[in-house]
Amino acid sequence: MACLRCGFKFNCICAIEPQLQSAADFVLLTHARESSKDTNTGILMTRTLPSCRVEMWHRTQPPQALLDQLQHPDYQAWLVFPSDEQHLATPLTLPTTNNTKLLLIIIDATWQEARKMVRKSSWLNQLPRIALTPQNTSSYSLRRNQKPGHLCTCEVGIELLKQLHQPQAAQQLQDYFTHFIEIYHADKSGHAK
């Protein structure tokens, strides 16, 4: 029987799951098709970062809790978006004040779906954007036809933690992600690693 938390049958990874803290809050704005995929890496962030939550994206009905949070003066919200878009800020230049907390919204979908989600959501278009230009190529190998230079959701979280000057948390999440990728193939093949 598969583990109820990590989903693996032969190689439970719950024992190595780190518990991390972050200076920012994260919201994974998740496409409906993404939420049921066992290859989704956003779950690795929600398991390890108490400040990370999922909000489901619906074209005609934006998540009210997130809309309310965007209006709250204690938060400074940024939309994380592909680096090939123009006119984007970078996390290193994010202006913050002592009175606000960063709210980083990550689109949890393929980049093709992410573009459609933003295009169809006027409330997302109004947010300032962060573009990531990763130093390394993606090590995500669980899906085909991935565009070069684009990261999976968990890798985006790792890069953001680095940008937030939290290298230890970034490394712990990277190690957990790497282990997840390695175990995934063995577990789906029906054997222990």
Side-chain angles (χ1 to χ4, degrees):
M1 176 145 184
C3 173
L4 295 177
R5 183 163 175 85
C6 72
F8 289 136
K9 184 173 183 179
F10 303 101
N11 301 281
C12 176
I13 61 171
C14 294
I16 64 158
E17 180 181 294
Q19 289 304 303
L20 309 174
Q21 297 298 318
S22 175
D25 283 353
F26 297 88
V27 172
L28 305 182
L29 189 59
T30 303
H31 193 281
R33 282 193 290 253
E34 199 66 30
S35 63
S36 61
K37 293 179 181 176
D38 60 1
T39 55
N40 180 295
T41 62
I43 192 78
L44 303 178
M45 290 182 64
T46 59
R47 287 183 197 147
T48 59
L49 284 162
S51 62
C52 182
R53 74 176 197 274
V54 172
E55 292 283 355
M56 295 304 295
W57 177 83
H58 301 283
R59 185 179 60 81
T60 58
Q61 194 172 14
Q64 191 60 50
L66 181 55
L67 292 178
D68 292 344
Q69 194 172 15
L70 294 177
Q71 299 303 314
H72 201 286
D74 290 344
Y75 289 96
Q76 184 180 22
W78 293 82
L79 177 65
V80 182
F81 215 65
S83 59
D84 56 350
E85 297 293 318
Q86 296 180 354
H87 310 298
L88 303 177
T90 63
L92 291 174
T93 60
L94 286 178
T96 57
T97 67
N98 293 335
N99 300 330
T100 60
K101 186 168 189 178
L102 287 175
L103 177 65
L104 301 173
I105 301 168
I106 301 170
I107 305 280
D108 187 21
T110 65
W111 282 123
Q112 295 84 357
E113 288 171 334
R115 284 191 178 88
K116 291 177 188 175
M117 289 165 67
V118 172
R119 191 171 56 247
K120 294 177 180 180
S121 304
S122 59
W123 63 278
L124 284 176
N125 275 315
Q126 298 168 10
L127 296 173
R129 298 182 185 183
I130 296 170
L132 294 177
T133 307
Q135 301 298 317
N136 302 314
T137 58
S138 175
S139 60
Y140 182 69
S141 59
L142 302 183
R143 295 186 196 168
R144 296 183 191 137
N145 303 323
Q146 296 299 302
K147 288 186 94 173
H150 288 180
L151 304 175
C152 70
T153 301
C154 188
E155 289 174 317
V156 169
I158 292 164
E159 289 297 318
L160 289 170
L161 288 171
K162 289 177 187 175
Q163 297 280 343
L164 292 166
H165 308 291
Q166 297 182 261
Q168 184 176 0
Q171 187 59 57
Q172 288 178 294
L173 186 54
Q174 176 67 58
D175 293 344
Y176 183 53
F177 167 74
T178 300
H179 197 69
F180 170 81
I181 297 294
E182 290 171 354
I183 291 300
Y184 183 90
H185 295 294
D187 204 77
K188 296 304 174 186
S189 298
H191 58 84
K193 179 151 167 80

